[in-house]
Amino acid sequence: MRRSLRTNRSHTHSTHRAAQAAAVAVIAGALTLTACGGSDDKKSDDGKSGAASGDTAGSGGSVSLPKLDGASLEVAAVWTGPEQANFKKVLAEFEKRTGAKVTFVPAQDPIINFLGSKIAGGAPPDVAMLPQVGAIKQAVEKKWAKPVGADAQAQLAKNYSQGWQDLGKVDGKQYGVYYKAANKSLIWYNTKVFENAGAKEPATWKDFLSTAQTVYDSGVTPVSVGGADGWTLTDWFENIYLSQAGPEKYDQLAQHKIKWTDPSVKDALTTLAQLWGNKNYLAGGPDGALQTEFPASVTQTFTGGDQPKAGMVFEGDFVGVNIAETKAKIGTDAKVFPFPAVGEKAPVVSGGDAAVVLKDSKAAQALVTFLASPDAATIQAKLGGYLSPNKSVANSAYPNAVQQSMAKALIAAGDDFRFDMSDQAPQAFGGTPGKGEWKDLQDFLKNPKNVAGTQAKLEADAAAAYKG
């Protein structure tokens, strides 16, 4: 997941404490219960294709699509590896139903810069998957994005909560279709390590640190951190900040209505330093963490038998994609628990990727309509490592009980969630490798004692970006 947005105006639907607590309860109860088991019975993809008639191709599901024989499309996204491969299977189904030819274009972070170079060269992709709320707003401001059509809007109204629809709107117009969501408040762990250490799933930050010590005492480094990718570090901060400072402060900081020099930021960084400042708790120590990319942070936790490089790794539901590259099985070798509560409540942080039309055409509009339907999401849901905000996707489509419980929690939260903070910031601050918040938190990982200096740097970078 990556980042950006100037304000969170588009998603400031009120988050009620009671509903947020209910969402946490679903995660805590369902995940803890189902992590103990669950089948890996992967059902076959929805590969049905109805017979074409008239000017529409057979729906093969819940949405009718036009015949697009001879049309060609390019879709750009930053996804790589299994995530990209699985999305290509969704695009293949669209090709099958419509007769269009779709080419996947690998993009680089920050995607707005990548798209800018493509547009300057006169060759923009037809559709881009934007991983920041702010990137949608920037694409609209630059007059790159085109509003989605009536068919896509109808699918959104039918299949999405108002909150997820609003995230894709700018000035009241629908530009984004959120195809992929993330529950970014999860800690995954190696069950062999926990069993050997006699460790238990912690519910609070204090218990989490105790669990880390228990794992360390057993001879395994407790936590793997993918610090080479700055976005993972922003996710650590956001979960701690949301739980400790509360949702109101979270919204204020997300909109830069309070400064990063605020005492609440000091408290969160000080809490984070309790983990990052203990070199014994991080795989490879701080320096090793800073050289570890996100995929490796996961795989090194689930390889090496009962002596992996780490016992736990933090990140969203999409960790499942990387676990699938190892021999570990989710639900038996790999289990998960909610991010521990630092304050009164455990955090519920979400992220997502939205499809945005850059070249308006019948084919491009048909693709975003397809992506807004449960037909597309169901295909990728069955492949694992994916969550959809589409409430019409059957929970049984997810391949194991762990993912089913995460999907259930996401949908149960309705509009009551907090979207990734750095995804709401201007991309220069919250979504650019080697700059802004990503770089500042990488520096903090290297020197967790420098709380005041980190706050000052974060505020300077934020102030410059929000004015830009």
Side-chain angles (χ1 to χ4, degrees):
M1 315 304 295
R2 283 74 25 181
R3 323 292 174 210
S4 207
L5 174 66
R6 204 141 284 169
T7 73
N8 71 347
R9 171 197 48 71
S10 63
H11 90 287
T12 50
H13 44 273
S14 176
T15 298
H16 307 296
R17 289 182 183 273
Q20 187 180 47
V24 173
V26 172
I27 296 174
L31 287 185
T32 302
L33 179 65
T34 59
C36 298
S39 67
D40 259 332
D41 57 326
K42 296 190 179 181
K43 303 181 180 87
S44 60
D45 294 353
D46 281 356
K48 294 177 279 186
S49 180
S53 61
D55 63 354
T56 45
S59 70
S62 67
V63 61
S64 294
L65 300 169
K67 289 181 65 176
L68 299 169
D69 294 325
S72 61
L73 288 168
E74 287 189 344
V75 181
V78 294
W79 298 330
T80 59
E83 197 171 28
Q84 180 188 125
N86 291 349
F87 183 59
K88 284 181 176 179
K89 293 180 181 179
V90 176
L91 298 179
E93 176 64 13
F94 178 77
E95 289 180 322
K96 187 176 180 181
R97 293 193 192 185
T98 63
K101 172 65 177 175
V102 185
T103 301
F104 182 91
V105 178
Q108 290 84 43
D109 267 326
I111 193 169
I112 285 292
N113 293 0
F114 172 84
L115 295 175
S117 64
K118 287 285 187 180
I119 289 168
D126 298 85
V127 175
M129 307 301 292
L130 300 185
Q132 296 99 8
V133 178
I136 300 174
K137 188 170 189 292
Q138 286 178 277
V140 173
E141 290 173 344
K142 292 175 181 292
K143 302 189 184 305
W144 296 349
K146 315 299 180 188
V148 301
D151 290 343
Q153 290 187 51
Q155 287 296 316
L156 287 169
K158 180 180 178 181
N159 302 316
Y160 287 73
S161 71
Q162 191 61 50
W164 281 103
Q165 293 179 58
D166 290 347
L167 283 169
K169 290 181 179 178
V170 177
D171 296 332
K173 284 188 178 182
Q174 194 77 49
Y175 288 92
V177 169
Y178 270 86
Y179 170 72
K180 188 176 187 293
N183 174 341
K184 306 187 79 175
S185 301
L186 303 170
I187 307 283
W188 298 77
Y189 67 96
N190 184 311
T191 56
K192 286 183 180 178
V193 170
F194 266 48
E195 288 168 4
N196 291 344
K200 296 180 180 178
E201 296 180 358
T204 67
W205 182 255
K206 181 180 178 181
D207 290 343
F208 175 69
L209 294 176
S210 295
T211 297
Q213 184 63 44
T214 298
V215 171
Y216 176 74
D217 290 341
S218 75
V220 176
T221 305
V223 182
S224 177
V225 175
D229 291 315
W231 59 268
T232 66
L233 306 184
T234 69
D235 290 348
W236 272 105
F237 172 82
E238 289 158 8
N239 275 274
I240 288 174
Y241 190 85
L242 176 58
S243 182
Q244 190 170 45
E248 289 79 15
K249 282 275 192 182
Y250 185 95
D251 287 344
Q252 290 169 8
L253 188 60
Q255 300 175 64
H256 202 220
K257 289 184 175 179
I258 58 174
K259 295 183 177 181
W260 284 81
T261 49
D262 189 85
S264 62
V265 177
K266 176 183 177 180
D267 291 343
L269 290 173
T270 301
T271 298
L272 189 52
Q274 292 174 348
L275 176 68
W276 289 3
N278 190 330
K279 64 181 181 180
N280 293 328
Y281 284 179
L282 305 183
D287 289 341
L290 285 166
Q291 295 175 40
T292 303
E293 294 181 344
F294 164 68
S297 75
V298 178
T299 55
Q300 70 181 17
T301 306
F302 298 100
T303 53
D306 59 1
Q307 289 291 314
K309 290 186 177 179
M312 294 179 279
V313 61
F314 155 72
E315 256 311 335
D317 56 277
F318 45 87
V319 163
V321 172
N322 304 95
I323 293 176
E325 295 182 301
T326 72
K327 294 181 180 179
K329 292 186 178 180
I330 295 174
T332 53
D333 306 310
K335 295 183 182 179
V336 64
F337 57 86
F339 195 97
V342 183
E344 293 181 5
K345 296 181 175 69
V348 180
V349 176
S350 184
D353 297 80
V356 174
V357 174
L358 301 181
K359 288 172 64 177
D360 202 3
S361 67
K362 184 177 181 180
Q365 292 290 350
L367 179 59
V368 295
T369 298
F370 180 58
L371 295 177
S373 76
D375 300 15
T378 297
I379 295 170
Q380 195 153 348
K382 289 182 177 182
L383 298 171
Y386 165 86
L387 285 182
S388 172
N390 190 316
K391 62 187 179 182
S392 298
V393 175
N395 196 248
S396 60
Y398 295 93
N400 56 62
V402 172
Q403 283 207 280
Q404 288 168 8
S405 63
M406 289 190 289
K408 182 178 180 181
L410 180 73
I411 298 303
D415 291 347
D416 298 298
F417 58 89
R418 279 298 185 271
F419 203 84
D420 184 299
M421 187 188 294
S422 56
D423 278 357
Q424 299 176 49
Q427 189 153 318
F429 178 64
T432 303
K435 294 184 179 179
E437 188 182 1
W438 292 20
K439 178 63 163 59
D440 296 341
L441 289 179
Q442 285 175 324
D443 290 343
F444 182 63
L445 174 58
K446 191 171 185 178
N447 182 17
K449 293 181 180 179
N450 189 22
V451 172
T454 300
Q455 283 186 269
K457 191 67 169 68
L458 284 163
E459 175 54 30
D461 289 341
Y466 279 82
K467 287 178 183 177

